[in-house]
Amino acid sequence: MSTESITPALQLGVGDRLRLWWDALARPTQWLVGVPFIVLIALLPVIRPPVLTTVGTDFGGVLAQFGMYALLAIGLNVVVGQTGLLDLGYVGFYAIGAYTVGLLTSPDSPWNLTDDWLSRDWAWLFALPVAIAITAISGLLLGTPTLRLRGDYLAIVTLGFGEIVRLLADNLSNITGGGRGLSQIAYPVVGESASKPNGVFSAGNTSQPLNSGTWWFWLSIVLIIIVLLVVGNLERSRVGRAWVAIREDEDAAEIMGVPTFKFKLWAFLIGASIGGLSGALYAGQVQFVVPSTFNVINSMLFLCAVVLGGQGNKLGVILGAFIIVYLPNFFLGRTELFGIPINGNDIANYKYLFFGLALVVLMIFRPQGLIPARQKLLTYGRSIYVATRRAALALAATPAPAPAAAEPSDTTEGGAR
Amino acid sequence: MRRTTPKIAGTALVLAIGLVLTGCSSKETPSDDGSPSDGGTSAAAADLSIQPLVQIDDKGGEVPAADTSNAADPAGDGTAKCDPVSIAMAGALTGPNAALGINILNGAKLAVDAHNAANADCQVTVKEFDTEGDPQKATQVAPSIVSDSSVIGLLGPAFSGETKAVGPVFSQAGLLSLTASATNPDLTTNGWTNFFRGLANDAVQGPSVAAYMVNTLKFAKVCVVQDDSDYGVGLAEQITSGLGDAADSACAAKVKTGDKDFSATVQIIKGESPDAVFYAGYYAEGAPFAAQLKEGGVTAAFVSADGTNDPEFVKQAGAAAKDAYLSCPCGPAPDTFASDYTAKFNVAPGVYSVEAYDLATIMLKGIDSGVKDRAGLIDFVKNYDGDGLARHYQWDATGELASALIWIYQVK
Amino acid sequence: MSAVMTVGTTLASGVISFDLGSLGRNFWALTIDGLTYGSIYALVAVGYTLVYGVLRLINFAHSEIFMLGMFGQYATLMLLGFTPSGNAYQEGTVMTVVYLLIAMIGGMIVAGGSAVGLERVAYRPLRKRGAPSLVFLITAIGASFIIQEFVHFVLPKLTGGKLGGVNAQQPIRLVEAQVQFSIFGADVTNVEIIIVLAAILLAVATERFISITKFGRGIRAVAQDPVTATLMGVSRERVIMLTFLIGGVLAGAAALLYTLRVPSGIIYSGGFILGIKAFSAAVLGGIGNLRGALLGGLLLGVMELYGQALFGTEWRDVVAFVVLILVLMIRPTGILGESLGRARA
């Protein structure tokens, strides 16, 4: 056997190089790099960079909407991307979260607590955990009878559930107000001052650039970070590995002893809770819920965000959510782009057309999405990977041929991302 | 298999001949010919229009039309000076009920253009915000209105549902919300100090129309059908309580916005054989509903209110719209206004056009008198007392007009 | 009976009102109406069931094929010279039938063509790449978006505002609904007769096609065992194209019939709910089973109308979703439960 090492030249693209560099950093270093990045994102609505800032609509509001959609995308990613359960009715959880907050705090609701003992200033904060809990229970209720189904059937059944939630909200008008909706939902009242008598989160806070949209965006960033930590932990644990196993081949997982039904239910529960959290945010920001918001098209839009960004990759789906929310708003009201006259409003109207095209094209050519998930299954895989990579780089620095086992691409990369 | 081929060929031949024959004949627009199944001739739909009948008070009794010679003129005295500001108009400019919003926009534009033409030093722009009449879309549009600092007053929102949805936003932002069309009575009970209504609300329209139906038109049995919008539900409530015993609860039905098929409701109403059917909702559903009632063989009179009171209703319902009674808290357009409007927009004025003109004029008067900010305009409107083309405008503490009456129209 | 009624009323009276009396009074009228709608659902359901039988794929975009069929027949009528108006044209029985046939063919051409086009553009590349079924479903959703928004925004620009857009098309009424006779006190109109007769004819024709003709045997063969069918000389690609074509053609016919019944329903979003209901019907009858689709359609139509009478008119759409979920949970193979591949198609 030849002693020359036939090391195939690894074709690394820019994205791959970035990921290899990122993966090689130790955890604390990753935080050190990540935090300024997060702060930069958080300061975007304050800085209002010239090209990025939306023209036809408020940039803070757009980012606040992005925050909500990012949460939804992370939640849906747990169900669709991690566990492989196609859920077309995710908007139902969004609706239940929003309606719970509405039912507890709107004067139109028969279950309004704010004229009883709950002060309106704290009502939203009180209703938030209640909304999450109730949505989680609804996830349980949806999952228990239906998770025995697979693939396409599960998709259609979840679609049915999403529509049933919307139709119930529409028809039970004695409770939910039906098509009239629930208005004057409470929002957190923080930071009252003479110019802002209702606090910084109220719609009356129109001071630029720290208007109510910016404050809701910051709140959603905090929530996104918390949710990412929770979901990330789950991904790196037994639960996450069970999800991956279920996604790849459910029957094999069952045979290997993974309690698939239990973990699928867990996925639904967690996805539902995150959806409920986002719904509560929506209700507080817009202060009005009506059934027509929670239609099937929005469900498809969330799915689009997850698929576009990269199913299974929780940071990828955030990027997907950003694309879904930001791009149409970028064009809104814009009449020229780099000197070319365009009709921005028209282009913004075509957003579903473009997203549909993006879905079809992506599914044909790049079904894993823009930032694919890298599957890592070992618990201490990260440390193994870092150590192996260090060794490989050291070996590569020496000119002597090295045994092939030192190639970093051969080791199973551990530690879920 | 072999035997079916000649059959297929034969059918194809027949169809081809049919195609050739039909392609050559011309189609007449449908009018009464052949064998009319119901007695009497039906006039072509193009001849029908909505004509004003009478102005009524809350007992259903007739009230003569008011004198409009003192109406405020948006052009003013031509010497106003102001910084460039804008007023916003929010309502259904596209979508199934777009005609109602466009009426308002055009009325406002007529006033503002007259003002700008006469006052070269005070140019006011009208910024349009399309909500499609949908409360959900309105919540997306409202933050844009509020964050635009050049907007110091809002003419709108147009529909009661969207006003309910985004009213808190404007209230918190301290932006004047002067509506030419939102009639749900509960809107002024929310404690919004920025909200003023430029026409009578449904707590006046409901009892007035009910009294007119019972006392003048002598309907003994009425089916009240409501849609699921804030306006429809509120109006149906008022009508039902105003009708009292005449409202038959067995045929009181609900329809949903966006419904196209009302067969079940028509079935129920036909079973009850009422004298009249009152529809509380907008023309997007009202027109197909009226058409399906006629097709279903229901001979009851069709009565509806301002949401259906538009030429679009007549166009979409066709012959079924004939003899329908339509009410409105808005009055018919005076002649000079109507001719100016038609000359400018190539279409006759519709409901709320006059109100929009009057309310835009009030805001312009405020701007002319030196108001520069949102709070100032709210104050101006609060203390305003003057005549307009439609009525006298003076608001009470809750934002309702001191006096307002209802008009009845009929399609003929 | 009265005991069941009291139990039912006490159980549901708090939130949902339960009205057996209304059901009893209008039973025959509701049944006739239900069969009318059911025929339309049946024709659309055949499209879902055939594609599932042959490809094991739920063609989510089939509802948009139906919607395109509606616009196709409307465009045909416009090309023939009809204009939208509030009144119905009175052209005489023979000519009306001829015009309706032409419009139906126009709708069939548009729907069938789009179905085949959809298959070639969206599904065939995925099949060639061996994609998992999740990917097919997502692509179908994307295709659904594209078609809907095309009709919503692009079509008005292409036709100068005459077709498409955010509002429903103004109805072109060729047939004025007139009561022909009564059964047990319920009126039967000419529109209902046309719909049910046409649906029966089309269903029988499809069924004969699938059982007797060479192409139909090919469809059944590929549904039963694609590999063996290919070994036996059946062109899988051609069979797939034919399946989509048949589904599309039937959806186009159903579109005309639906427009006869609901003239103001021609809007870009008008396919979606009907598609879900047709899919529920296909599942109810037994997905992959042609007769199941027809039976399921009729059953669902009738159940919807009964549900409306029992619970209130606003609960109509919920019936379809509830039926779907119940069937999938309790008896996923549906009522007839057999697949297209078996000899008894």
Side-chain angles (χ1 to χ4, degrees):
Chain A
M1 185 168 138
S2 153
T3 45
E4 293 171 7
S5 79
I6 312 167
T7 343
L10 215 53
Q11 301 289 345
L12 290 177
V14 170
D16 282 329
R17 259 190 270 266
L18 200 62
R19 291 185 82 141
L20 282 175
W21 164 78
W22 178 259
D23 288 343
L25 296 174
R27 263 278 178 244
T29 330
Q30 283 188 341
W31 273 102
L32 220 59
V33 174
V35 166
F37 184 67
I38 297 175
V39 170
L40 180 65
I41 301 276
L43 284 178
L44 269 180
V46 181
I47 310 172
R48 312 246 159 167
V51 179
L52 224 55
T53 304
T54 55
V55 168
T57 169
D58 177 52
F59 194 44
V62 170
L63 288 176
Q65 195 185 13
F66 156 59
M68 283 190 285
Y69 272 60
L71 272 174
L72 283 164
I74 299 172
L76 188 56
N77 180 46
V78 170
V79 180
V80 174
Q82 292 277 323
T83 322
L85 307 168
L86 187 54
D87 184 352
L88 291 181
Y90 196 70
V91 78
F93 299 135
Y94 190 44
I96 293 177
Y99 262 95
T100 310
V101 174
L103 285 170
L104 290 177
T105 61
S106 162
D108 302 326
S109 144
W111 299 338
N112 178 20
L113 298 176
T114 54
D115 53 348
D116 236 350
W117 48 270
L118 190 59
S119 108
R120 278 193 78 83
D121 290 359
W122 296 104
W124 185 84
L125 282 168
F126 169 78
L128 183 63
V130 178
I132 298 178
I134 301 222
T135 320
I137 295 175
S138 76
L140 201 66
L141 287 173
L142 166 62
T144 314
T146 62
L147 281 175
R148 287 175 284 138
L149 299 165
R150 302 276 188 93
D152 295 0
Y153 286 132
L154 180 65
I156 300 289
V157 164
T158 48
L159 178 74
F161 259 102
E163 279 289 280
I164 288 182
V165 167
R166 182 185 64 85
L167 286 167
L168 278 176
D170 209 4
N171 292 340
L172 300 176
S173 40
N174 295 335
I175 305 172
T176 61
R180 311 166 69 177
L182 299 171
S183 66
Q184 297 177 58
I185 296 178
Y187 51 89
V189 181
V190 171
E192 288 142 289
S193 65
S195 61
K196 297 194 252 280
N198 289 314
V200 289
F201 288 102
S202 121
N205 175 7
T206 53
S207 59
Q208 300 286 348
L210 295 181
N211 62 358
S212 61
T214 313
W215 282 91
W216 280 103
F217 176 53
W218 287 342
L219 179 61
S220 58
I221 288 185
V222 170
L223 289 171
I224 289 174
I225 294 177
I226 297 175
V227 167
L228 280 177
L229 286 172
V230 169
V231 171
N233 260 330
L234 279 169
E235 285 175 9
R236 286 186 285 274
S237 72
R238 218 177 92 224
V239 183
R241 289 195 296 278
W243 288 341
V244 173
I246 294 170
R247 178 183 76 208
E248 296 301 325
D249 190 335
E250 189 172 335
D251 296 317
E254 185 75 46
I255 290 173
M256 295 305 286
V258 175
T260 52
F261 185 72
K262 176 171 133 188
F263 284 122
K264 286 202 283 193
L265 210 54
W266 263 108
F268 251 66
L269 250 160
I270 291 169
S273 322
I274 302 176
L277 171 63
S278 185
L281 271 181
Y282 172 79
Q285 185 187 1
V286 174
Q287 298 165 32
F288 176 74
V289 283
V290 75
S292 60
T293 320
F294 308 109
N295 51 23
V296 151
I297 301 221
N298 278 333
S299 231
M300 306 302 181
L301 212 60
F302 306 151
L303 187 68
C304 205
V306 169
V307 164
L308 227 78
Q311 326 175 25
N313 185 333
K314 59 187 187 297
L315 293 177
V317 299
I318 297 181
L319 175 66
F322 182 75
I323 295 176
I324 298 278
V325 172
Y326 180 71
L327 273 186
N329 283 304
F330 174 76
F331 284 106
L332 211 59
R334 222 170 263 267
T335 45
E336 64 94 40
L337 186 63
F338 304 128
I340 314 168
I342 55 169
N343 187 343
N345 283 330
D346 259 0
I347 298 181
N349 275 337
Y350 289 143
K351 68 177 179 207
Y352 290 113
L353 186 63
F354 289 142
F355 293 145
L357 272 168
L359 269 183
V360 175
V361 168
L362 223 62
M363 283 297 107
I364 297 177
F365 295 113
R366 197 181 162 90
Q368 65 270 39
L370 286 175
I371 305 183
R374 292 292 175 82
Q375 243 10 81
K376 298 157 184 165
L377 287 172
L378 297 177
T379 311
Y380 297 105
R382 265 207 98 252
S383 13
I384 295 177
Y385 173 67
V386 172
T388 322
R389 190 158 184 274
R390 225 174 274 142
L393 285 172
L395 273 163
T398 63
E407 292 273 8
S409 54
D410 281 349
T411 48
T412 348
E413 300 175 337
R417 171 76 19 142
Chain B
M1 262 191 319
R2 295 277 147 76
R3 284 183 298 236
T4 54
T5 329
K7 272 197 211 160
I8 297 174
T11 344
L13 194 60
V14 167
L15 286 172
I17 294 175
L19 233 149
V20 167
L21 282 176
T22 53
C24 299
S25 62
S26 61
K27 312 292 167 299
E28 306 134 23
T29 50
S31 55
D32 62 315
D33 65 45
S35 50
S37 55
D38 43 2
T41 56
S42 53
D47 289 348
L48 292 175
S49 67
I50 306 176
Q51 305 291 335
L53 274 189
V54 67
Q55 186 176 183
I56 56 173
D57 61 15
D58 57 357
K59 302 282 181 301
E62 179 167 341
V63 174
D67 170 30
T68 63
S69 50
N70 274 339
D73 183 3
D77 55 8
T79 60
K81 282 201 210 326
C82 63
D83 300 328
V85 286
S86 41
I87 56 177
M89 180 270 157
L93 297 173
T94 60
N97 295 309
L100 298 171
I102 293 177
N103 288 343
I104 299 177
L105 180 66
N106 288 346
K109 275 196 192 158
L110 194 60
V112 171
D113 289 346
H115 170 269
N116 287 347
N119 300 285
D121 289 330
C122 185
Q123 296 294 299
V124 178
T125 31
V126 176
K127 289 199 175 169
E128 320 169 4
F129 293 90
D130 179 20
T131 61
E132 294 181 22
D134 180 10
Q136 207 272 312
K137 183 106 199 284
T139 59
Q140 294 167 357
V141 166
S144 309
I145 303 178
V146 158
S147 60
D148 186 340
S149 48
S150 73
V151 168
I152 58 169
L154 169 69
L155 180 64
F159 290 172
S160 304
E162 43 188 15
T163 313
K164 179 163 180 242
V166 294
V169 172
F170 299 132
S171 171
Q172 287 161 32
L175 178 66
L176 169 71
S177 174
L178 195 52
T179 183
S181 47
T183 49
N184 188 307
D186 293 336
L187 292 172
T188 44
T189 60
N190 294 313
W192 297 332
T193 49
N194 65 319
F195 179 74
F196 300 93
R197 207 201 303 267
L199 70 182
N201 64 19
D202 287 334
V204 175
Q205 185 172 206
S208 309
V209 175
Y212 184 77
M213 280 202 284
V214 170
N215 299 333
T216 316
L217 297 175
K218 305 271 190 266
F219 292 140
K221 188 169 174 191
V222 182
C223 291
V224 177
V225 178
Q226 61 184 65
D227 75 356
D228 63 353
S229 71
D230 199 39
Y231 159 72
V233 172
L235 179 61
E237 225 174 271
Q238 297 288 340
I239 288 277
T240 312
S241 67
L243 283 172
D245 289 333
D248 185 355
S249 57
C251 62
K254 297 187 192 167
V255 301
K256 284 201 199 165
T257 322
D259 265 359
K260 304 278 177 240
D261 176 26
F262 305 97
S263 47
T265 313
V266 168
Q267 201 75 270
I268 297 174
I269 292 179
K270 191 159 154 194
E272 294 291 320
S273 326
D275 298 318
V277 175
F278 185 89
Y279 179 70
Y282 299 106
Y283 67 78
E285 288 77 40
F289 180 54
Q292 288 178 28
L293 275 175
K294 259 310 178 306
E295 276 176 24
V298 176
T299 49
F302 187 82
V303 187
S304 188
D306 50 323
T308 331
N309 191 336
D310 191 84
E312 275 294 309
F313 167 72
V314 178
K315 189 167 126 192
Q316 293 179 21
K322 188 165 194 306
D323 294 333
Y325 292 95
L326 305 169
S327 70
C328 189
C330 55
D335 295 327
T336 31
F337 176 84
S339 51
D340 290 341
Y341 188 103
T342 317
K344 195 173 164 82
F345 299 109
N346 280 332
V347 68
V351 296
Y352 317 130
S353 297
V354 186
E355 277 69 24
Y357 179 89
D358 283 342
L359 296 178
T361 308
I362 293 177
M363 283 202 263
L364 290 167
K365 292 274 175 245
I367 297 173
D368 286 351
S369 71
V371 168
K372 289 195 206 321
D373 62 358
R374 296 175 175 182
L377 202 56
I378 296 181
D379 263 339
F380 180 83
V381 173
K382 201 154 71 155
N383 301 319
Y384 185 83
D385 182 1
D387 274 343
L389 281 178
R391 58 186 64 86
H392 183 81
Y393 292 96
Q394 188 181 21
W395 281 279
D396 65 13
T398 58
E400 296 282 4
L401 282 178
S403 93
L405 299 167
I406 309 296
W407 276 86
I408 302 280
Y409 300 72
Q410 196 178 23
V411 179
K412 42 186 172 180
Chain C
M1 181 60 181
S2 59
V4 170
M5 253 181 78
T6 21
V7 168
T9 35
T10 32
L11 271 179
S13 56
V15 170
I16 304 171
S17 61
F18 199 71
D19 188 359
L20 268 174
S22 168
L23 177 63
R25 273 195 309 272
N26 299 316
F27 182 73
W28 288 108
L30 292 170
T31 310
I32 292 172
D33 222 5
L35 288 174
T36 315
Y37 281 103
S39 321
I40 299 173
Y41 297 154
L43 290 176
V44 183
V46 171
Y48 282 107
T49 216
L50 280 181
V51 170
Y52 189 83
V54 168
L55 280 178
R56 295 282 176 278
L57 155 75
I58 300 180
N59 182 9
F60 202 81
H62 193 55
S63 49
E64 312 317 325
I65 304 291
F66 170 83
M67 182 269 292
L68 284 176
M70 282 204 287
F71 277 94
Q73 61 90 22
Y74 188 85
T76 316
L77 286 175
M78 273 174 56
L79 283 174
L80 284 176
F82 291 96
T83 52
S85 86
N87 301 314
Y89 282 90
Q90 310 271 9
E91 297 281 339
T93 319
V94 174
M95 288 313 286
T96 312
V97 170
V98 173
Y99 288 134
L100 284 178
L101 273 175
I102 298 177
M104 184 181 277
I105 291 175
M108 282 169 158
I109 292 176
V110 170
S114 352
V116 172
L118 171 74
E119 194 274 320
R120 292 207 72 134
V121 170
Y123 296 141
R124 183 177 291 199
L126 293 176
R127 261 208 319 281
K128 292 216 168 1
R129 287 171 165 77
S133 68
L134 219 72
V135 170
F136 274 95
L137 206 49
I138 296 178
T139 309
I141 293 171
S144 190
F145 265 179
I146 295 176
I147 300 177
Q148 269 196 33
E149 294 304 303
F150 171 78
V151 173
H152 189 178
F153 286 118
V154 180
L155 201 55
K157 289 206 175 25
L158 291 177
T159 58
K162 288 211 266 252
L163 280 181
V166 66
N167 292 333
Q169 302 295 119
Q170 297 293 342
I172 296 178
R173 292 188 175 90
L174 275 179
V175 183
E176 201 175 310
Q178 288 164 6
V179 178
Q180 304 296 102
F181 55 87
S182 300
I183 300 181
F184 297 117
D187 292 335
V188 177
T189 63
N190 49 358
V191 167
E192 287 168 345
I193 296 177
I194 294 177
I195 293 177
V196 175
L197 273 181
I200 292 177
L201 281 171
L202 286 164
V204 167
T206 315
E207 218 252 323
R208 292 287 92 194
F209 183 84
I210 300 277
S211 338
I212 294 184
T213 66
K214 185 178 85 174
F215 301 113
R217 283 206 299 276
I219 293 178
R220 280 190 283 135
V222 174
Q224 188 170 15
D225 189 338
V227 177
T228 314
T230 322
L231 287 173
M232 291 289 131
V234 176
S235 159
R236 186 162 183 249
E237 288 303 315
R238 196 175 286 183
V239 160
I240 292 174
M241 194 189 77
L242 190 61
T243 313
F244 274 88
L245 182 67
I246 296 177
V249 160
L250 286 174
L256 174 91
L257 297 177
Y258 181 72
T259 323
L260 278 179
R261 186 71 181 80
V262 185
S264 38
I266 308 177
I267 188 176
Y268 74 95
S269 52
F272 171 68
I273 279 280
L274 200 126
I276 298 269
K277 291 183 184 177
F279 178 72
S280 310
V283 167
L284 175 64
I287 190 111
N289 184 326
L290 182 66
R291 292 203 187 127
L294 301 170
L295 175 68
L298 292 174
L299 269 179
L300 186 71
V302 170
M303 277 199 282
E304 265 195 353
L305 272 278
Y306 291 163
Q308 258 192 321
L310 275 175
F311 300 109
T313 52
E314 64 265 25
W315 293 99
R316 178 175 189 174
D317 294 344
V318 183
V319 170
F321 292 119
V322 169
V323 161
L324 178 65
I325 292 173
L326 285 177
V327 169
L328 281 178
M329 277 164 35
I330 299 176
R331 191 182 152 88
T333 44
I335 296 181
L336 292 187
E338 291 161 8
S339 78
L340 189 61
R342 303 276 191 88
R344 267 173 55 205

